[in-house]
Amino acid sequence: QKEVEQDPGPLSVPEGAIVSLNCTYSNSAFQYFMWYRQYSRKGPELLMYTYSSGNKEDGRFTAQVDKSSKYISLFIRDSQPSDSATYLCAMIRGGSNYQLIWGAGTKLIIKP
Amino acid sequence: SAVISQKPSRDICQRGTSLTIQCQVDSQVTMMFWYRQQPGQSLTLIATANQGSEATYESGFVIDKFPISRPNLTFSTLTVSNMSPEDSSIYLCSVVFGNSNQPQHFGDGTRLSIL
């Protein structure tokens, strides 16, 4: 079993819809949670970085962390065709030894 | 925000040759990482290159195949040696600004094709 599970999709939704992207994890040692967006032929771009359980909002994006369920989500409101990309979740274990674990990435397609 | 530059952005090489990829950051960082990414897949960590110490390689990657240099706090190189078609991939460098619990930031990668 992988430490971080993420459905690779593709996920196809119409423009304007609310998108929900999710990751689950098995190790309660993960303390820091990130969402990255990666366009074709580009490096991953950091979208959201959170530490505690709860919600963090940035424009049309909301990151949600539920540590008790070991579940994180990224919501995109009013989705646009320009949001079409691969979204990767990533997690860092707490402590002095830096270790970042990646999800598989979900390919998102927003249809005009 | 800081700029992370990779060179070359893409290359086509003959099997048996070697290619050195450069990663330049416009501010000083302690932690740098090198990844490989196959099309449509997630990132696979090759090695961690912290300034002042030898690079640490992940399982399946060895120094003879992927030698890394980290001469200062703003620059690193990854060499892909004795290339074969299986080495065709995207190679990415990333950095961490600040302490060890911060996220990584990436360059745009090097697309490498081996004939």
Side-chain angles (χ1 to χ4, degrees), chain B residues 55-105:
Chain B
T56 304
Y57 290 82
E58 297 300 305
S59 176
F61 298 96
V62 295
I63 187 171
D64 289 347
K65 176 68 175 177
F66 297 100
I68 287 171
S69 77
R70 183 76 201 276
N72 57 50
L73 289 172
T74 63
F75 187 76
S76 179
T77 66
L78 170 75
T79 299
V80 187
S81 303
N82 189 25
M83 290 183 286
S84 65
E86 293 71 35
D87 295 320
S88 296
S89 191
I90 302 166
Y91 292 85
L92 293 145
C93 76
S94 71
V95 304
V96 172
F97 299 106
N99 66 37
S100 61
N101 296 320
Q102 296 299 308
Q104 294 179 20
H105 298 268

Side-chain angles (χ1 to χ4, degrees), chain A residues 32 34 36 38 40-46 49 88 92-100 102-105, chain B residues 10 31 33 35 37 40-43 45 58 90 92 96 99-109 111:
Chain A
Y32 305 89
M34 291 141 288
Y36 288 82
Q38 186 174 24
S40 179
R41 301 180 184 275
K42 292 288 188 181
E45 171 194 11
L46 179 68
Y49 169 62
L88 299 112
I92 300 173
R93 290 193 182 91
S96 59
N97 187 22
Y98 187 95
Q99 190 170 17
L100 187 151
W102 294 91
Chain B
R10 62 187 307 162
M31 288 189 279
F33 304 87
Y35 285 90
Q37 186 178 33
Q41 297 191 19
S42 190
L43 299 134
L45 182 64
E58 297 300 305
I90 302 166
L92 293 145
V96 172
N99 66 37
S100 61
N101 296 320
Q102 296 299 308
Q104 294 179 20
H105 298 268
F106 287 81
D108 277 339
R111 303 179 75 87

Side-chain angles (χ1 to χ4, degrees), chain A residues 37-81:
Chain A
R37 176 176 64 194
Q38 186 174 24
Y39 291 115
S40 179
R41 301 180 184 275
K42 292 288 188 181
E45 171 194 11
L46 179 68
L47 279 179
M48 303 289 276
Y49 169 62
T50 57
Y51 168 66
S52 58
S53 285
N55 294 350
K56 180 178 181 179
E57 190 172 316
D58 184 0
R60 296 185 295 112
F61 298 91
T62 300
Q64 186 175 80
V65 173
D66 183 347
K67 288 188 176 181
S68 62
S69 301
K70 298 189 180 66
Y71 189 91
I72 68 170
S73 299
L74 178 70
F75 299 98
I76 307 174
R77 292 184 298 279
D78 187 24
S79 57
Q80 305 294 312

Side-chain angles (χ1 to χ4, degrees), chain B residues 5 8 17 19 21-22 34-35 39 63-64 81-82:
Chain B
S5 304
T17 63
L19 178 74
I21 302 168
Q22 299 179 4
W34 287 98
Y35 285 90
I63 187 171
D64 289 347
S81 303
N82 189 25

